[in-house]
């Protein structure tokens, strides 16, 4: 039996649905700089539980940043050249929101710069502690700024490579005596020359009798001392939990003395994030639809933790695109403008509202 040929309209709809499917599939693995206004470097799929995630500077991706197990780079492979600090500062300023974080990062850049200048002039310079605690709710940009700090420290000559290794408790703690230290050492080795980013770091302080989280903490603290000239550790998590975690251990208190709080996004900032997603995807948000999107965000964002700030905005964006695709699939003819337009009907359908019928012009007499 001959197969029915695929029409041009069907091809366009299939392409649109494939884009949406891919975006939805990769949603949790793309929590990078694309949320905050700066072009994101290609990222690997989420790594397996037993290996850390390694992000390299965007100029020169390496084997580690494409999802392979974190290993020492080949001897012949040189780290990427440092970026210009002015370019990094401009990129940082381009991020949506994060006003207090931007100010603290600028202060840190100035302090490190002056510290280097004093050393070059053979003047006394106190040792700098560059390890940091990032606290805040999900989706507020903690991983993005950690990646930025790795690049900034590389630009300033503090770190030799400037990459980011992201890990959580599962990537550090093993289930048997002696294995945790080996596991942590492997992660530390992969992070040398860059930033080790420990997400939900408070989970290491399990407190159970047979918990090996304390062994992981002790091993990390020793590595921070042994490699203090070429390793920065950033611990991240919720505000109260991180505060208790850091103050539960004198070793942690002495090494982590810089705290950056990441505030929840305002309604205006989340709307800017949505509009930025539209711009990147070549979508046009109709004026009436924009107001409905703002209401949708407010309606869903009753709890910043469960909504997820920028992550929640992206979920809303994808829901609207699904309903846009459903609308286009029912149309007889689909133009380029149709593919680009997000209409009030698309937003209403995503919110589960009754879709208003579009106004029709009266025929000319």
């Amino acid at each position: 039996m001959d197969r029915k040929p695929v029409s041009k309209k069907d091809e366009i709809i299939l392409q649109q649905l494939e884009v949406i499917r891919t975006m939805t599939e990769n949603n949790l693995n793309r929590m990078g700089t694309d949320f905050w206004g700066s072009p994101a470097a290609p990222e690997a799929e989420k790594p397996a539980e037993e290996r850390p995630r390694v992000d390299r500077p965007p100029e020169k991706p390496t084997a580690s940043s494409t999802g392979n197990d974190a290993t020492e780079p080949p001897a012949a492979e040189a780290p990427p050249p440092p970026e210009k600090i002015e370019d990094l500062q401009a990129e940082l300023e381009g991020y949506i929101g994060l006003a207090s974080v931007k100010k603290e990062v600028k202060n840190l850049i100035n302090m490190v710069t002056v510290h280097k200048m004093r050393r070059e002039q053979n003047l006394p310079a106190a040792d700098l502690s560059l390890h940091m605690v990032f606290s805040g709710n999900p989706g507020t940009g903690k991983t993005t700024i950690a990646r930025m700090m790795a690049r900034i420290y590389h630009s300033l000559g503090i770190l030799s490579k400037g990459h980011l290794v992201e890990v959580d408790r599962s990537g550090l703690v093993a289930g048997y005596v002696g294995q945790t230290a080996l596991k942590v050492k492997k992660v530390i080795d992969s992070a040398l020359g860059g930033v080790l980013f420990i997400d939900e770091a408070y989970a290491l302080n399990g407190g159970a009798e047979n918990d090996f989280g304390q062994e992981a903490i002790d091993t990390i603290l020793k590595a921070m001392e042994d490699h203090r000239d070429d390793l920065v550790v950033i611990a991240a998590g919720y505000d109260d939990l991180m505060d208790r975690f850091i103050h539960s251990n004198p070793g942690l208190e002495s090494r982590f003395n810089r705290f950056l709080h990441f505030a929840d996004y305002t309604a205006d900032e989340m709307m800017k994030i949505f509009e930025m997603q539209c711009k990147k995807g070549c979508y046009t948000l109709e004026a009436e639809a924009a107001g409905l999107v703002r209401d949708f965000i407010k309606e869903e964002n009753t709890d910043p933790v469960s909504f997820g700030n920028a992550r929640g905005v992206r979920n809303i964006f994808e829901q609207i695109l699904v309903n846009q695709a459903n609308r286009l699939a029912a149309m007889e003819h689909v133009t380029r403008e149709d593919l680009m337009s997000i209409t009030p009907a698309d937003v209403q359908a995503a919110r589960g509202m009754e879709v208003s019928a579009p106004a029709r012009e009266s025929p000319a007499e």
Side-chain angles (χ1 to χ4, degrees), residues 58-318:
E59 287 72 23
K60 189 176 182 180
T62 67
S64 295
S65 66
T66 56
N68 297 327
D69 287 341
T71 57
E72 287 296 323
E77 183 180 344
E83 301 167 76
K84 293 181 179 179
I85 192 63
E86 296 81 8
D87 293 341
L88 293 173
Q89 288 178 305
E91 181 179 331
L92 178 65
E93 287 302 316
Y95 293 154
I96 295 171
L98 304 174
S100 62
V101 172
K102 292 174 183 176
K103 180 179 179 181
E104 290 299 323
V105 171
K106 183 178 179 181
N107 291 342
L108 186 59
I109 291 172
N110 292 339
M111 187 181 66
V112 172
T113 301
V114 172
H115 182 273
K116 286 186 61 180
M117 292 168 64
R118 289 183 63 87
R119 285 281 181 90
E120 291 168 357
Q121 296 297 326
N122 295 318
L123 292 171
D127 289 337
L128 289 177
S129 177
L130 302 178
H131 309 295
M132 291 178 284
V133 175
F134 287 2
S135 63
N137 289 328
T140 49
K142 296 186 292 296
T143 305
T144 296
I145 296 301
R147 186 178 297 111
M148 171 64 73
M149 293 310 305
R151 295 162 62 195
I152 287 173
Y153 286 150
H154 184 41
S155 173
L156 295 173
I158 301 297
L159 295 174
S160 61
K161 298 176 184 176
H163 63 296
L164 180 83
V165 173
E166 182 181 353
V167 73
D168 58 14
R169 177 189 164 90
S170 65
L172 296 170
V173 179
Y176 301 96
V177 176
Q179 289 186 337
T180 292
L182 295 175
K183 197 171 185 179
V184 173
K185 185 179 183 303
K186 182 179 179 181
V187 172
I188 294 293
D189 288 344
S190 71
L192 291 179
V195 169
L196 173 60
F197 181 77
I198 307 174
D199 197 17
E200 298 182 349
Y202 48 78
L204 293 174
N205 196 5
E209 182 179 352
N210 296 323
D211 184 79
F212 298 106
Q214 186 59 49
E215 182 182 357
I217 293 172
D218 294 340
T219 308
I220 291 169
L221 291 175
K222 185 178 185 303
M224 291 167 69
E225 180 64 25
D226 293 344
H227 304 288
R228 60 183 179 274
D229 293 332
D230 204 20
L231 175 68
V232 170
V233 178
I234 297 176
Y238 294 107
D239 290 309
D240 293 341
L241 292 174
M242 287 305 300
D243 186 65
R244 289 201 294 269
F245 170 66
I246 295 299
H247 296 301
S248 69
N249 185 309
L252 292 171
E253 282 186 311
S254 65
R255 289 170 176 82
F256 290 98
N257 58 8
R258 299 190 183 282
F259 292 77
L260 270 67
H261 172 68
F262 289 69
D264 293 322
Y265 284 102
T266 66
D268 287 341
E269 289 169 343
M270 286 190 281
M271 192 62 201
K272 288 180 181 178
I273 291 172
F274 187 93
E275 291 168 347
M276 178 267 294
Q277 290 293 323
C278 290
K279 183 177 180 181
K280 286 190 172 185
C282 294
Y283 289 97
T284 302
L285 185 63
E286 295 184 3
E288 185 180 347
L292 293 172
V293 169
R294 181 180 288 272
D295 292 341
F296 194 5
I297 291 173
K298 289 181 179 179
E299 178 182 277
E300 293 293 305
N301 186 33
T302 56
D303 178 9
V305 175
S306 59
F307 181 69
N309 286 280
R311 298 180 190 179
V313 175
R314 185 176 187 85
N315 288 334
I316 284 176
F317 180 69
E318 292 179 358

Side-chain angles (χ1 to χ4, degrees), residues 299-360:
E299 178 182 277
E300 293 293 305
N301 186 33
T302 56
D303 178 9
V305 175
S306 59
F307 181 69
N309 286 280
R311 298 180 190 179
V313 175
R314 185 176 187 85
N315 288 334
I316 284 176
F317 180 69
E318 292 179 358
Q319 291 175 44
I320 291 173
L321 291 192
V322 168
N323 285 279
Q324 185 221 34
N326 292 337
R327 175 176 60 82
L328 296 177
M331 293 171 59
E332 184 65 27
H333 301 288
V334 179
T335 67
R336 175 182 174 86
E337 288 70 23
D338 292 329
L339 290 171
M340 295 174 62
S341 296
I342 295 177
T343 69
D346 301 329
V347 185
Q348 290 172 329
R351 295 175 66 183
M353 299 170 61
E354 182 176 349
V355 178
S356 303
R360 295 181 178 271

